[in-house]
Amino acid sequence: MYIVAVDEGKCEGCEECANNCPVSVFEMKAGKAVVVAGDSCEGCQTCTSVCSSGAVTLTEM
Ligand code: SF4
Ligand code: SF4
């Protein structure tokens, strides 16, 4: 399984992660990406690729 996390301090609110995750792990709340369905993550690494601020981290457990 994979653990997805967003560093709120680094997130710039571009919405790229939320718009590109194929299984809707992220939602935008108050201008920041929030992980709302981490259990659904398939480890595709799209979110870490599209995040230009390095706010998303993906860890395989
Ligand atoms: S690794 Fe892929 S499935 Fe997992 S949160 Fe990122 S974009 Fe979504
Ligand atoms: S891609 Fe990165 S900067 Fe953009 S909303 Fe997601 S976490 Fe924030």
Side-chain angles (χ1 to χ4, degrees), residues 33-55:
V34 178
V35 174
V36 294
D39 290 351
S40 298
C41 176
E42 298 174 338
C44 69
Q45 301 186 21
T46 299
C47 53
T48 51
S49 296
V50 298
C51 182
S52 58
S53 63

Side-chain angles (χ1 to χ4, degrees), residues 13-39:
C14 71
E15 304 189 11
E16 289 296 318
C17 56
N19 290 339
N20 289 288
C21 174
V23 290
S24 301
V25 163
F26 306 94
E27 282 183 8
M28 300 305 298
K29 293 185 180 174
K32 302 283 184 177
V34 178
V35 174
V36 294
D39 290 351

Side-chain angles (χ1 to χ4, degrees), residues 6-12 32 55:
V6 175
D7 183 333
E8 189 176 316
K10 291 182 179 177
C11 176
E12 297 172 344
K32 302 283 184 177

Side-chain angles (χ1 to χ4, degrees), residues 1 13 16 57:
M1 66 175 290
E16 289 296 318
T57 52

